[in-house]
Amino acid sequence: MSSVEVPSYVPGHGLLAGRAAVVTAAAGTGIGGATARRFLEEGAHLVLGDAHERRLAQTVDALAGEFGADRVTGTPCDVTDEHQVAGLLDLAEARHGPLDVLVNNAGLGGTAELADMTDEQWHRVLETTLTGTFRCTRAALRRMRAHGRGGVVVNNASVAGWRAQRGQAHYAAAKAGVMALTRCAALEAADFHVRVNAVAPSLAAHPHLAKVTTPALLEELTAREAFGRAAEPWEVANVVVFLASDYSSYMTGETVSVSSRHP
């Protein structure tokens, strides 16, 4: 296999058959959208949340046409709003029964040197990426504890939580916080048989990637990947499926790097 060849897409194996799942920031063609598709291919019943209403409606319509409207729906959800988070989980349980899986994919980035960063830039990234993950996890754990069936939470972290990068102090701090939140939540949630893990992608291919980074930086980051390419979003989603499935039944509090990046 050449350094830039993408492997074949892996078909579903029913790993999440009958599970009731929620994925945040699931509209579009990024990791959230890929995770939604993979969950449906693995048999889950799904409710999607996203702050972008038009894009969410398009995503839900497309997936419902392919997998059935009885298996997938969505509702606008801004994870900075506790009432919208509650509404998302309420919809999931009303349609599909007790919540089995939550995927916290919502996050927000940006680029600013720390000396020039404003309070607004800092708080905006932290509020969505870290506090939003906390808010959704808290809501899910309360429900999972109440229904007593166990469950799974999978958080989207980032290798930025481990590795320094200029202009990313707010994003890196938020993602490092997601990793720490994952570990602490896992310890507490084990009391009621809920597992909490995270994935830490490096560079994932996305049509809008060029809008949030410079071509020179994108070229540099790609060159540092061992396979000489960015990950496909579905390659990250495959690891989310693994963490959500019974194949990871004895894993909790872990952050799994989905990366081929050199130090």
Side-chain angles (χ1 to χ4, degrees):
M1 185 169 68
S2 72
S3 62
V4 295
E5 185 178 347
V6 177
S8 299
Y9 194 83
V10 181
H13 291 80
L15 299 182
L16 303 175
R19 307 284 173 88
V22 167
V23 182
T24 66
T29 57
I31 292 171
T35 298
R37 172 170 289 278
R38 293 269 37 189
F39 270 41
L40 289 166
E41 290 169 345
E42 294 292 350
H45 292 79
L46 198 58
V47 172
L48 310 182
D50 201 288
H52 300 277
E53 294 187 29
R54 181 183 58 82
R55 199 166 65 191
L56 174 64
Q58 292 172 341
T59 299
V60 170
D61 286 348
L63 292 174
E66 187 172 348
F67 295 97
D70 60 321
R71 289 191 52 210
V72 57
T73 190
T75 186
C77 180
D78 180 345
V79 298
T80 68
D81 186 321
E82 185 173 1
H83 296 293
Q84 292 189 35
V85 169
L88 176 65
L89 300 189
D90 284 344
L91 176 61
E93 296 199 327
R95 286 184 63 95
H96 305 304
L99 181 66
D100 294 307
V101 182
L102 168 69
V103 179
N104 283 310
N105 180 65
L108 186 67
T111 301
E113 295 280 316
L114 187 61
D116 301 316
M117 188 180 295
T118 66
D119 281 9
E120 192 279 333
Q121 287 174 308
W122 173 269
H123 288 302
R124 186 165 176 261
V125 170
L126 269 290
E127 176 63 18
T128 298
T129 306
L130 177 56
T131 307
T133 299
F134 150 74
R135 191 174 285 115
C136 293
T137 300
R138 177 181 62 186
L141 292 184
R142 287 173 175 172
R143 291 162 191 260
M144 290 173 176
R145 181 176 61 187
H147 69 53
R149 298 186 354 160
V152 179
V153 176
V154 183
N155 297 324
N156 191 353
S158 169
V159 295
W162 290 311
R163 300 169 180 167
Q165 185 173 314
R166 292 181 66 103
Q168 297 294 305
H170 46 1
Y171 184 73
K175 290 300 189 180
V178 168
M179 294 177 183
L181 173 67
T182 297
R183 292 190 294 271
C184 293
L187 190 62
E188 297 173 5
D191 292 347
F192 41 98
H193 310 293
V194 173
R195 298 184 293 107
V196 186
N197 291 293
V199 295
S202 176
L203 184 64
H206 191 283
H208 302 294
L209 196 58
K211 296 181 180 180
V212 296
T213 188
T214 65
L217 178 58
L218 190 56
E219 183 177 352
E220 175 191 342
L221 294 175
T222 303
R224 293 177 66 182
E225 297 292 325
F227 294 129
R229 64 174 178 86
E232 293 296 316
W234 60 262
E235 292 179 294
V236 180
N238 283 348
V239 181
V240 177
V241 167
F242 163 71
L243 292 175
S245 78
D246 292 340
Y247 278 114
S248 59
S249 61
Y250 203 69
M251 282 182 66
T252 197
E254 294 298 323
T255 297
V256 181
S257 176
V258 189
S259 169
S260 64
R261 192 176 177 190
H262 297 292

